[in-house]
Amino acid sequence: MVEASVQFGQYAPALRTILHLSDTHLLAGGALHGPGIDTEEHLATTLRLIERMQPRPDALVFTGDLTDLGEPEAYRRLQELVEPVAEAIGAPIVWVAGNHDERPAMREHLLGIEATDEPLDAVHDLGGLRLIALDTTVPGWHHGDLSDRQLEWLGEQLREPAPLGTILALHHPPIPSPLPLFDILELRDQTRLARVIGGSDVRAILAGHLHYSTSATFAGVPVSVASSTCYGMNLGRPALEVNGFDAGQSFHLVHIYDSTITHAVVPVVDAPTGDYFSAEWVARMAQLSPEDRLQAFSRKRA
């Protein structure tokens, strides 16, 4: 597991780091999405950014709508794009199903398992951090739901706490949206899920589906919704006029600490950055005492 190398404040470096991506919506043959959105190129741009990131993450988590039509070729292409990057940075991949995915094709052509309609629920151990992928999809529909059997299975997994706690990753976020049309496609009967996770060691819920970044709480648990690598939703328009646009692509950088979990939005842009905080600057700060560091960096100049 990779840690940051410098601590200047009161928090020790993060125990684990996760990259939370969502809604890649890949299409077979490199086809464009809707009004000419190149979903494959947007994903490739995202992966090039991830390859350069330091420190390396402990996992890549994709919260659904991996493909747009559930095409076998699209799943194979997704695998071709993502797996070499994950191998290069030494991070496992957690795939979560979304409403645009098709379970049989996803099972066979992405996961290499039997092509059935069984839910794609799974448990991943990230060095003591338990990550549970929960399949909220309903075959043939775009709204989300969880069966009694799935909720019973989830309860069994949560019976014993994990050393670093548990994170749930699902596609349909159990939170309200200001966009009325999303009400139709939300996760149904969310109180049942709340009863299962209440009082458990679940520390965070990762989700997608909305194509915009947002956060909330559910059953006392923080919920973080990542936007999309495909296209964003412009919430600056009136709620009944919001539509997707070829902008706002991003993913989340999730840091797990002893006492909290943070979720930072990472924009997928190619723009120059300043170079003030160089490696040399950090090294100089590291040589100073905490008091001298405050004088050098925190003290306002006349």
Side-chain angles (χ1 to χ4, degrees):
M1 302 297 176
V2 180
E3 294 184 355
S5 59
V6 179
Q7 178 187 348
F8 289 152
Q10 57 196 291
Y11 292 98
L15 299 171
R16 302 290 180 269
T17 301
I18 291 173
L19 296 189
H20 172 202
L21 305 96
S22 201
D23 293 83
T24 49
H25 284 270
L26 240 59
L27 287 150
L32 302 182
H33 185 285
I37 297 173
D38 193 337
T39 66
E40 183 173 318
E41 179 54 35
H42 287 329
L43 175 58
T45 301
T46 303
L47 294 172
R48 287 194 292 270
L49 172 60
I50 289 171
E51 282 185 298
R52 300 194 300 269
M53 292 182 70
Q54 292 288 346
R56 300 299 200 189
D58 297 299
L60 305 180
V61 181
F62 288 77
T63 51
D65 282 2
L66 310 174
T67 67
D68 193 59
L69 299 174
E71 301 158 298
E73 182 186 338
Y75 286 117
R76 291 193 294 269
R77 181 58 178 153
L78 179 66
Q79 191 176 51
E80 290 172 358
L81 289 170
V82 177
E83 285 194 352
V85 175
E87 290 176 5
I89 65 177
I93 309 169
V94 176
W95 301 112
V96 180
N99 54 283
H100 278 264
D101 292 305
E102 298 293 339
R103 287 176 181 172
M106 180 174 167
R107 281 172 161 272
E108 180 179 356
H109 298 280
L110 182 63
L111 303 178
I113 59 179
E114 185 182 2
T116 71
D117 259 327
E118 286 296 302
L120 287 157
D121 302 322
V123 181
H124 304 265
D125 179 15
L126 304 177
L129 176 69
R130 180 168 54 198
L131 194 144
I132 298 179
L134 203 55
D135 186 347
T136 56
T137 68
V138 181
W141 300 83
H142 282 299
H143 67 267
D145 207 351
L146 290 164
S147 68
D148 291 340
R149 190 173 72 170
Q150 286 180 283
L151 292 170
E152 181 180 352
W153 173 85
L154 177 61
E156 291 172 356
Q157 303 306 314
L158 297 176
R159 192 158 291 136
E160 294 293 332
L164 299 181
T166 296
I167 292 179
L168 292 187
L170 45 79
H171 184 65
H172 298 82
I175 62 172
S177 171
L179 306 181
L181 292 179
F182 274 103
D183 293 351
I184 305 171
L185 306 181
E186 67 187 2
L187 179 66
R188 298 171 67 85
D189 202 358
Q190 297 173 14
T191 56
R192 297 164 67 236
L193 176 61
R195 285 195 294 267
V196 174
I197 68 174
S200 72
D201 72 338
V202 175
R203 301 181 60 191
I205 298 173
L206 309 182
H209 190 49
L210 301 181
H211 286 248
Y212 62 87
S213 296
T214 189
S215 59
T217 57
F218 173 75
V221 178
V223 179
S224 179
V225 180
S227 184
S228 165
T229 68
C230 170
Y231 64 86
M233 299 291 280
N234 184 1
L235 269 65
R237 300 178 65 178
L240 292 176
E241 297 178 11
V242 171
N243 282 280
F245 67 139
D246 196 0
Q249 290 87 356
S250 65
F251 59 94
H252 284 185
L253 182 58
V254 184
H255 288 109
I256 294 89
Y257 298 88
D258 275 328
S259 59
T260 191
I261 297 178
T262 64
H263 308 261
V265 178
V266 181
V268 180
V269 294
D270 186 12
T273 58
D275 59 0
Y276 181 82
F277 302 113
S278 64
E280 292 76 19
W281 184 91
V282 173
R284 288 201 305 273
M285 289 295 108
Q287 297 302 312
L288 301 178
S289 69
E291 294 77 15
D292 289 341
R293 216 172 282 141
L294 280 176
Q295 288 291 332
F297 192 47
S298 179
R299 172 73 71 181
K300 292 183 179 180
R301 307 302 177 191

